[in-house]
Amino acid sequence: MIEALKPLRSPLFRLGAVLLLFTLQRVLFLVLNAPTFPAPPLAAFLGGVRFDLSAIAWLYLPFIVVSLVRPDARGTLGVVQKSTFHLSNLLCFFLNCTDLAYFNFTLKRSTADLFGIASGGNDLAHLAPVFLRDYWYVVLIFLGSMLLAEWAYRRGRSDGTIIRPWWPWRMVMVVAVVLASRGGLQYIPLSVLDAGQYAPPAYMPLVLNTPFTVMTSIGKPVLVERTFMPQEEADRRWPVVHRYGDSAVVRTPPNVVVIVLESFSAAYSGLLNGTGQGYMPFVDSLMGQGLAYTDAFANGRRSIDGLPAIIASMPKMMSEAFITSPYATTPFTSLPAVLAAKGYRTSFFHGGHNGTMGFDAFAGAAGFQRYVGRNEYPEPNDDDGVWGIRDVPFLQHFARQLDLEQQPFMSCVFTLSSHHPYHLPEAEARRFAGGTQPIHPTLLYADDALRRFFATAATKPWFRNTLFVITADHTADLERDGQESGGAFDHWIPLIYYMPGTLSPRLEHRTTQQIDILPTVLDLLGHRDPFFAFGASSLRHERPGAAISEGNATWLLVEQDLQIRSDGTEVRWTTGRGPGYTAANISDVPEQRKAEAQRTLQAAIQQFNAHLLHHELTVK
């Protein structure tokens, strides 16, 4: 068998040399950008090998295919083999070497939009001589890499003997390429945010390589500058830099616990839907004990959109989720990162399989110091067989783990049992049977799991010094009762700020959204430093209460009295929400009021696009 694998020696030696050159280029990347990476962790280099292998498996695929025909070809096929090898070298080494210098300007690995920037106008033709002069050493590094690759190609030549049988080494090579290309056996292929598993957010560019970030961003939606108004007006209508601290509600630094409930729509709250009939009785009871919002909205329709909105004030304003977008490596503001800088211990808990929806990668990028998923949960028998650990045992585990945390702590837990396929164990299925939708029993189960969590938490010494934020990631399986799709109803969620003995209970009717959670929490805590957030504190009047989201290449704005959907230039759909405005008499809404709503939405779009494009998601 070992003899049958001998043909692999030639392609593996050549590709191994490329892998070594990627690593050397990463070392040079560190050396040339040393002030940005003052204390690089060793894991950044070890994890970087995983990303290098993925890029090589994809971008050297033509060479690999020819090598499958004959590992060390001669004649015409040999020319093709060598040409494909060096064409891949040319592309990959050029991209890596470009960022040796370009990174200093952008502080991120380049993505596919690099080609659009380079080809815009005549700038490239004008600046190329300047770049070649100022960064002559980068040219030498590139040429040196190509020469070393040529040496490795020649050094990898075999004696040309054909070894049979042919299938063992070919099968091994195919399997190795498939595994390397997707980055391993995890649930979803490797993404840029997975770099957060190996290094803090500031060091993620060191883990990555530019061929990988460009390759994975090709075909992804790239934002374009949208200038609807002077920047001063956009800042006034939709401010993104905030500074509070003048009226802290909580004087002693409290713990902060964010609870994200899977698929909890406000339509299934007996308190919020106005019928008294619902499927979240405990959540309804909490609304009577804390600051609860009756007009709160999710910024997206998927968990992968909800988490960045809640934790990082990042709305779903483009067709691609932020977590998987080309902009995910841009340093961004997040609640755990802000609080960690104030001495908080931070952690993220999700009972799902590690890697699900990229939550573990996002948690690392957001600055959570600890991630607890299914892999870290001690009792495998509590697995539901589909998504992960059931809510009742996992929330009890969460409460016990908080007992071990050093205070003050900031932690987030994300439930999962109320996610399709809505599977409950037989006993719980009988206990929570009822309703008209398959989701209803699982909502009751998850609500009861939350009740049990708070019963346990109330016995803990940290309970009364903890600010709890309870909300949902998005809605699901709605009973519409005539409600149109694509509007506010599809995004309507519960939102509660609860701190027993500190926050006075009240129902607040102001329109708010997930991205307002980060600034509202910082406002409650009396955070004094300026910070960046697309949302705004719901305790203040920096701008009118509103909620935004994107879908089907249009944007939705929800305000107290109406909602509009626009393509940015033209309003495509309008519906009144107040008692005086209904779908039947929407024509009675003054045109000036519609125009004002459109202007607010345009300000939000302009701010979102500009700040992502210019990598300005933090306060300098």
Side-chain angles (χ1 to χ4, degrees), residues 136-387:
W136 56 267
Y137 53 90
V138 173
V139 177
L140 292 182
I141 292 170
F142 169 76
L143 294 175
S145 298
M146 293 296 294
L147 288 174
L148 286 172
E150 168 63 16
W151 173 86
Y153 190 90
R154 295 182 181 184
R155 188 74 175 78
R157 284 197 178 281
S158 66
D159 58 10
T161 303
I162 300 176
I163 299 175
R164 292 185 173 86
W166 63 268
W167 60 267
W169 64 268
R170 285 184 172 136
M171 289 300 297
V172 168
M173 196 166 183
V174 168
V175 170
V177 169
V178 170
L179 289 177
S181 66
R182 68 187 317 280
L185 293 170
Q186 71 281 354
Y187 279 83
I188 57 175
L190 201 62
S191 70
V192 291
L193 274 181
D194 287 312
Q197 298 177 22
Y198 303 99
Y203 290 87
M204 284 172 59
L206 192 58
V207 182
L208 298 164
N209 63 75
T210 307
F212 181 86
T213 55
V214 170
M215 174 187 70
T216 54
S217 61
I218 291 174
K220 299 288 181 71
V222 178
L223 294 172
V224 295
E225 202 91 41
R226 302 291 294 266
T227 305
F228 299 106
M229 62 195 71
Q231 188 58 42
E232 295 79 8
E233 182 182 353
D235 289 336
R236 176 175 55 82
R237 289 182 176 273
W238 201 273
V240 294
V241 176
H242 315 269
R243 187 166 192 168
Y244 306 142
D246 54 346
S247 58
V249 176
V250 184
R251 297 298 176 186
T252 303
N255 307 308
V256 177
V257 173
V258 178
I259 302 173
V260 184
L261 301 171
E262 174 68 52
S263 303
F264 267 57
S265 167
Y268 293 136
S269 160
L271 179 65
L272 296 178
N273 65 25
T275 67
Q277 299 295 316
Y279 302 93
M280 50 185 80
F282 181 71
V283 172
D284 283 352
S285 72
L286 284 179
M287 290 185 199
Q289 302 175 55
L291 171 59
Y293 287 84
T294 64
D295 209 37
F297 299 92
N299 292 106
R301 291 279 297 153
R302 302 173 298 176
S303 299
I304 200 172
D305 300 317
L307 194 59
I310 294 166
I311 296 300
S313 193
M314 182 67 60
K316 172 41 168 88
M317 290 290 280
M318 56 184 173
S319 58
E320 182 72 16
F322 174 73
I323 288 178
T324 58
S325 76
Y327 313 102
T329 56
T330 302
F332 58 90
T333 304
S334 71
L335 193 55
V338 172
L339 295 184
K342 299 165 74 71
Y344 279 66
R345 295 294 300 169
T346 61
S347 55
F348 183 89
F349 289 73
H350 182 247
H353 304 282
N354 294 49
T356 296
M357 289 177 279
F359 286 167
D360 52 352
F362 174 76
F368 281 107
Q369 297 158 343
R370 182 186 177 205
Y371 181 89
V372 178
R374 181 187 179 279
N375 292 4
E376 292 76 24
Y377 184 77
E379 182 47 67
N381 290 335
D382 291 331
D383 196 306
D384 67 4
V386 180
W387 282 106

Side-chain angles (χ1 to χ4, degrees), residues 15 18 22 51-65 81 83-96 115 177 180-182 209-218:
L15 293 174
V18 171
F22 269 59
F51 290 85
D52 294 346
L53 287 171
S54 179
I56 291 169
W58 280 111
L59 297 174
Y60 285 76
L61 196 56
F63 166 73
I64 293 170
V65 169
Q81 186 180 64
S83 298
T84 56
F85 179 75
H86 282 311
L87 283 173
S88 294
N89 290 332
L90 188 70
L91 172 64
C92 293
F93 297 166
F94 172 80
L95 293 174
N96 265 341
F115 301 114
V177 169
S181 66
R182 68 187 317 280
N209 63 75
T210 307
F212 181 86
T213 55
V214 170
M215 174 187 70
T216 54
S217 61
I218 291 174

Side-chain angles (χ1 to χ4, degrees), residues 478-528:
L478 298 171
E479 292 180 326
R480 295 199 171 276
D481 296 326
Q483 295 278 351
E484 293 184 72
S485 66
F489 184 69
D490 288 351
H491 297 264
W492 189 29
I493 57 171
L495 175 56
I496 310 161
Y497 299 90
Y498 171 62
M499 188 171 183
T502 301
L503 289 181
S504 301
R506 77 174 187 272
L507 280 180
E508 177 63 58
H509 303 294
R510 174 186 173 90
T511 302
T512 187
Q513 56 192 325
Q514 289 170 331
I515 62 172
D516 295 338
I517 291 174
L518 183 154
T520 301
V521 169
L522 294 182
D523 198 3
L524 287 169
L525 270 56
H527 180 70
R528 295 183 178 277

